[in-house]
Amino acid sequence: MKYQPKYKPQAESRFFADGRADRPLPPGVVASSYGPAGQPLRDDDHFYRGKTATGTWAAGFPKALTINRTFMERGKERFTIYCQPCHGALGDGQGITKAYGMGATPTYHDDRLRRMAEGEIFNTITNGKNNMLSYADKLTPEDRWAVIAYVRALQRAQQGTAADVPAEHKTELDIK
């Protein structure tokens, strides 16, 4: 099949009167929800690009996700593999790469990153930024959101107080 005669996309053709190999779509054709090779179209901007319908960075997580313990554990696992070497286990920018001279790795506990919309963080993981390269080839979109959820948990853990502990757990933790 590799060597059989065939038309390439947008090639010329002497067979058709208009000289094009591409043929116009028949009347009444309706777009499918699948793209090339049967892959689903990525038409959920929040989930696949971290953007709202107006094009701004989306705050919060896409509705298609269920954020539960399994999701958070997946985020922790992916974080440990891909993020921890640079950003450190606590997200404080003190990863192992710092010992080898890589500087300027930000801490997730900086106010600027705490206030950053989840969609913008998603974009950074997807496309990279400054010294950070893209992780789109290593993390699926759902895994990127799981990492963001875990990063938000790390941030929250650094900001938590005894007042955040539910009353029913204070006695077991010896909190008054």
Side-chain angles (χ1 to χ4, degrees):
M1 295 199 53
K2 183 175 179 181
Y3 299 107
Q4 72 183 9
K6 60 186 168 281
Y7 286 116
K8 302 283 184 185
Q10 299 185 9
E12 292 181 11
S13 168
R14 288 182 288 156
F15 181 80
F16 297 105
D18 62 3
R20 299 180 307 147
D22 289 350
R23 306 312 314 139
L25 296 174
V29 169
V30 177
S32 165
S33 63
Y34 289 90
Q39 295 295 316
L41 288 178
R42 295 181 168 208
D43 58 353
D44 181 344
D45 282 341
H46 190 170
F47 187 86
Y48 291 106
R49 284 171 277 296
K51 298 239 176 161
T52 65
T54 62
T56 59
W57 297 121
F61 292 86
K63 290 181 177 32
L65 298 173
T66 302
I67 301 177
N68 56 24
R69 183 183 183 116
T70 304
F71 187 75
M72 293 296 288
E73 287 171 353
R74 178 70 177 180
K76 179 181 181 184
E77 176 191 54
R78 301 286 95 186
F79 177 91
T80 301
I81 295 168
Y82 296 108
C83 310
Q84 185 173 317
C86 296
H87 292 281
L90 302 175
D92 57 3
Q94 300 300 315
I96 189 68
T97 57
K98 194 137 193 150
Y100 293 96
M102 182 174 167
T105 302
T107 171
Y108 296 137
H109 308 298
D110 179 82
D111 283 337
R112 178 184 67 86
L113 294 177
R114 258 193 235 102
R115 287 189 306 265
M116 185 179 282
E118 286 78 6
E120 189 171 357
I121 298 170
F122 181 88
N123 182 67
T124 300
I125 296 169
T126 303
N127 299 307
K129 188 175 189 177
N130 299 328
N131 289 338
M132 182 174 154
L133 300 175
S134 167
Y135 280 82
D137 62 329
K138 296 167 184 62
L139 296 168
T140 66
E142 187 168 355
D143 282 347
R144 287 176 237 161
W145 286 112
V147 166
I148 294 166
Y150 184 70
V151 166
R152 290 301 196 210
L154 287 175
Q155 290 172 328
R156 183 71 179 125
Q158 292 293 315
Q159 298 294 307
T161 65
D164 296 324
V165 177
E168 65 269 15
H169 296 293
K170 286 188 177 188
T171 55
E172 67 189 72
L173 297 172
D174 200 28
I175 298 174
K176 299 192 190 281

